Amino acid sequence: MRKGYVLIYTLIIIAAISILSIALLTNTTAYVRNNALEIEKNNAYLSSQKLLQLSLAYIKPYFSGTSGITLSWTSANVNQNIEWWNRFKNYMISQSDGDYWQNFFNRINEQRYFDLSTLSGFTEDSSDISGSSIVLPIAASYQANGRPYSAFLVSRAISGKIEAYSVAVVAVDFLNKYAYFTEKETRPGGQTIYFISKEVIDGPMRSNDIIHISGNPRFKSTVEVKGVDIQSGNPIFDDPFSPKILTQQDIESYRMSMIASNYSSDLNALVKNPVDFVNSTIESGINLNLRTIIRDGKRLTPVRLIVEFKSAQGQGNDQFMKVYVEYQDKSDNKVKTDSLFTLKPRPSEDGYHMVIHGQDAREWLGLQGSGNDETRNVNFNGVLKSNLTIALRNHTNSDKPMYVDGKYTIYSEQDVEIYDHIVYEDFRDLFPHNRIDNIVVNQELVEQMRNTERSDFLNIVANNSVIIKDKQRNMKINASIYAFNGSFEVQNYDEGSPNGQLTIFGSLMQNYRGPVGTFSGDTTVSGYYKNYIYDNKILEGISIISGTPAKKGEILVLTLRGVY
């Protein structure tokens, strides 16, 4: 081979090696750069998560149960004061679930925020993290006193040129996070109550006691209990990690008595006596602390309140909520009834109309005036509190269902009695008044209820017990039910023929298990078999309403998410 060719071949080989070396170097540089970028991303994300956890610990003491979140909010536009806010929103909206976050940000009040750096000790404890945290109230959760029940926490961290965000939707730790919560499974006197075949608990469940099984009940979500006593049958637990056995420390941290002892006094901040209520310029509830009055020389002693929601159209009065007082006339010892007032939203504007039903009502309420019915504009937050037992009953159309249109908390310092079906107005088409007794709620109907867009919610709260007094066929109650010192039960549960299915759509909390029926094997002998369905909208943070019982100093984390 000629020397010239050798030189050419050598140059070609050298050039190829050079190109290969450059390619390898370029790829190696890119790999190192990408690897460094991934490390920065991971560091930023982990730092944002660490900052989020620290932030949760710092804001936890400001979650004050029924009194709401007591942070000292800055009243200013968050985007004008937090330079990264819009950048963060764009990051969230650009993700695969961006439509969800776009709609979510419409519920955030961007005119109020809280910067955690203003809390004593927070800056020092987070000094090893380059970043910051802010909290914004969720606008749909305001109380009458302006304090939100739920909020949006955002923690931002920086590593190199990368910024990462970790977020949480947080709420006051409301008791209705469970579909079913019981302190004691055994009634006073030692009576044991069982979960039996055909019964369904469709939602998170907790009991601070040992639950008793006789048959094949189905538990479709998480189950937290002190223990399980299976007398017979095979209970079905859909959640693979259930039942979770609670420790004594778990139980002591979440006692019904802890919540009950604070509730009545906490609720006083949300209600006013009738005179102050009708003159209030801010939203408030009504405290009906009724006492004996003298009328025409006769002593009239109040026995109970009657609260009536809407009837089916064409089937009775279409008021949103009408309140009566049932009283005993000492002159003849007869029980009589006076109508007190009707509440309904004002057409095309915020607030309510309150129709005061004449002079007899004014005497009970302590209001000035004279003549027949009088209509006043009032600012009602949905809370009704009374020292009397409260009967939820269709007074004007006995045994017909009532439809709850709006958001209400009904609280009795004694008992709450239920006489008729109570259904959300948004479900009216699913449960028409002329067929409701014969409708058995199956899974298809449950899905229709859960998928219905709605805004109706009801809390039924009793210091003692919540009692079904009149056994409607296939009874339906749409509400979160709380029986602080007693139970949820059916009067005369062990008498008569079976009444079919008892459906609660919402949640149930009670101090001890109350009986709703009797059984033999898999057969209901009297009363009802249970169908308890959790209202998932409770965990969206928008269904939290004024007066919902809650635990102070605790946070319920509804959503966690990270983005960078």
Side-chain angles (χ1 to χ4, degrees):
M1 182 179 292
R2 296 180 183 180
K3 293 181 179 179
Y5 288 120
V6 172
L7 179 60
I8 291 171
Y9 288 141
T10 302
L11 291 174
I12 290 172
I13 292 170
I14 292 171
I17 292 172
S18 298
I19 292 171
L20 180 60
S21 299
I22 292 170
L24 288 171
L25 181 61
T26 300
N27 287 338
T28 301
T29 303
Y31 172 78
V32 171
R33 184 167 57 246
N34 290 338
N35 191 49
L37 187 62
E38 285 300 316
I39 291 173
E40 284 188 355
K41 285 182 178 180
N42 289 335
N43 286 340
Y45 177 69
L46 291 173
S47 293
S48 69
Q49 282 285 304
K50 181 179 177 182
L51 192 59
L52 183 74
Q53 296 301 319
L54 180 65
S55 301
L56 287 169
Y58 262 87
I59 65 174
K60 185 176 178 180
Y62 297 90
F63 281 61
S64 300
T66 303
S67 298
I69 304 171
T70 57
L71 291 168
S72 299
W73 305 96
T74 297
S75 296
N77 185 286
V78 64
N79 183 48
Q80 295 176 359
N81 291 272
I82 306 297
E83 63 88 17
W84 48 263
W85 174 252
N86 268 355
R87 192 162 64 250
F88 156 71
K89 285 177 62 177
N90 290 334
Y91 282 167
M92 297 296 284
I93 294 169
S94 67
Q95 302 299 304
S96 60
D97 55 353
D99 288 343
Y100 168 85
W101 288 104
Q102 180 69 67
N103 293 329
F104 179 82
F105 285 124
N106 291 333
R107 293 166 47 205
I108 298 296
N109 179 5
E110 297 188 10
Q111 303 305 313
R112 301 177 76 191
Y113 70 94
F114 182 81
D115 187 342
L116 268 75
S117 65
T118 61
L119 289 178
S120 175
F122 179 80
T123 301
E124 180 180 352
D125 287 344
S126 61
S127 59
D128 61 331
I129 302 173
S130 177
S132 57
S133 292
I134 60 169
V135 184
L136 289 86
I138 296 177
S141 69
Y142 278 109
Q143 268 196 46
N145 59 9
R147 294 172 178 166
Y149 282 129
S150 57
F152 188 47
L153 172 61
V154 185
S155 292
R156 169 182 178 262
I158 305 170
S159 179
K161 296 181 179 180
I162 300 297
E163 60 182 357
Y165 301 90
S166 288
V167 305
V169 177
V170 292
V172 170
D173 189 7
F174 288 102
L175 197 55
N176 60 3
K177 68 182 181 183
Y178 294 108
Y180 172 96
F181 177 95
T182 298
E183 185 71 32
K184 307 165 191 171
E185 292 292 324
T186 303
R187 289 178 59 77
Q191 180 185 10
T192 299
I193 301 177
Y194 294 87
F195 290 99
I196 64 173
S197 295
K198 295 196 300 184
E199 294 186 340
V200 177
I201 307 295
D202 188 358
M205 170 183 162
R206 172 173 174 146
S207 176
N208 284 344
D209 204 349
I210 297 171
I211 63 172
H212 305 281
I213 307 291
S214 179
N216 309 309
R218 185 176 180 183
F219 303 90
K220 300 182 72 174
S221 187
T222 56
V223 176
E224 305 170 44
V225 292
K226 183 178 181 180
V228 180
D229 169 36
I230 302 177
Q231 291 290 313
S232 63
N234 295 290
I236 303 167
F237 296 98
D238 287 6
D239 176 59
F241 302 102
S242 292
K244 174 189 174 184
I245 305 302
L246 298 170
T247 67
Q248 192 60 36
Q249 183 178 1
D250 293 331
I251 293 169
E252 293 300 330
S253 69
Y254 216 89
R255 290 286 192 188
M256 176 77 87
S257 57
M258 295 167 57
I259 299 167
S261 62
N262 295 321
Y263 182 73
S264 183
S265 59
D266 287 348
L267 202 64
N268 285 333
L270 302 180
V271 297
K272 299 179 184 297
N273 65 61
V275 174
D276 291 337
F277 170 74
V278 298
N279 295 305
S280 178
T281 58
I282 62 172
E283 276 194 346
S284 62
I286 311 171
N287 186 9
L288 292 181
N289 192 19
L290 301 186
R291 305 295 180 189
T292 296
I293 63 171
I294 305 298
R295 180 187 297 165
D296 299 327
K298 300 177 181 179
R299 292 176 59 84
L300 310 181
T301 301
V303 177
R304 64 172 54 81
L305 284 186
I306 300 172
V307 175
E308 178 184 43
F309 295 106
K310 294 173 69 171
S311 294
Q313 291 178 344
Q315 297 297 309
N317 293 335
D318 205 28
Q319 68 274 347
F320 281 69
M321 185 171 78
K322 188 171 183 179
V323 179
Y324 308 78
V325 60
E326 195 174 78
Y327 62 92
Q328 187 175 46
D329 185 338
K330 294 296 185 180
S331 65
D332 55 15
N333 284 325
K334 291 184 177 179
V335 176
K336 304 174 182 178
T337 303
D338 284 343
S339 57
L340 296 179
F341 57 84
T342 298
L343 283 161
K344 53 187 177 181
R346 300 177 209 164
S348 305
E349 59 180 318
D350 294 335
Y352 279 73
H353 284 313
M354 182 179 186
V355 181
I356 302 164
H357 297 300
Q359 189 58 32
D360 290 346
R362 292 188 190 92
E363 289 179 13
W364 288 110
L365 300 174
L367 299 175
Q368 298 296 314
S370 60
N372 297 321
D373 287 3
E374 173 190 0
T375 299
R376 299 196 187 189
N377 290 339
V378 294
N379 297 297
F380 181 46
N381 66 4
V383 180
L384 174 66
K385 177 184 178 184
S386 180
N387 62 319
L388 304 176
T389 288
I390 297 176
L392 300 178
R393 186 171 77 204
N394 196 333
H395 184 69
T396 58
N397 202 9
S398 182
D399 291 333
K400 291 295 191 297
M402 297 189 295
Y403 296 92
V404 176
D405 193 351
K407 299 181 179 182
Y408 305 95
T409 292
I410 306 298
Y411 173 66
S412 168
E413 294 179 357
Q414 299 186 48
D415 295 326
V416 175
E417 302 171 345
I418 299 175
Y419 290 82
D420 299 299
H421 300 283
I422 301 173
V423 178
Y424 291 142
E425 169 75 11
D426 296 316
F427 297 155
R428 182 190 289 270
D429 293 340
L430 298 177
F431 300 102
H433 72 93
N434 57 343
R435 292 196 300 111
I436 192 169
D437 286 352
N438 297 320
I439 295 174
V440 175
V441 177
N442 56 22
Q443 189 58 39
E444 180 182 355
L445 192 50
V446 170
E447 293 306 315
Q448 288 180 279
M449 295 168 73
R450 284 178 168 164
N451 292 330
T452 298
E453 288 193 16
R454 60 187 179 83
S455 58
D456 304 324
F457 297 95
L458 175 65
N459 289 323
I460 299 173
V461 191
N463 188 51
N464 294 322
S465 293
V466 177
I467 307 164
I468 294 178
K469 299 281 283 188
D470 197 349
K471 294 179 286 188
Q472 304 296 333
R473 179 72 181 166
N474 292 314
M475 190 78 166
K476 295 161 185 71
I477 304 172
N478 296 172
S480 288
I481 299 171
Y482 309 81
F484 281 141
N485 294 296
S487 66
F488 172 75
E489 59 190 81
V490 174
Q491 182 171 280
N492 301 324
Y493 68 93
D494 55 352
E495 298 179 5
S497 300
N499 298 97
Q501 180 191 67
L502 170 61
T503 296
I504 297 175
F505 181 83
S507 58
L508 170 62
M509 295 84 215
Q510 56 190 337
N511 185 37
Y512 55 83
R513 281 284 297 275
V516 302
T518 62
F519 66 96
S520 176
D522 291 345
T523 302
T524 304
V525 176
S526 64
Y528 299 100
Y529 68 91
K530 297 180 284 293
N531 182 38
Y532 296 167
I533 306 160
Y534 190 58
D535 182 356
N536 287 339
K537 286 192 176 295
I538 290 171
L539 293 184
E540 291 183 9
I542 61 173
S543 63
I544 300 167
I545 61 176
S546 290
T548 302
K551 184 180 179 184
K552 289 185 175 181
E554 294 290 344
I555 290 178
L556 181 61
V557 180
L558 304 176
T559 303
L560 285 172
R561 175 65 189 272
V563 62
Y564 50 79

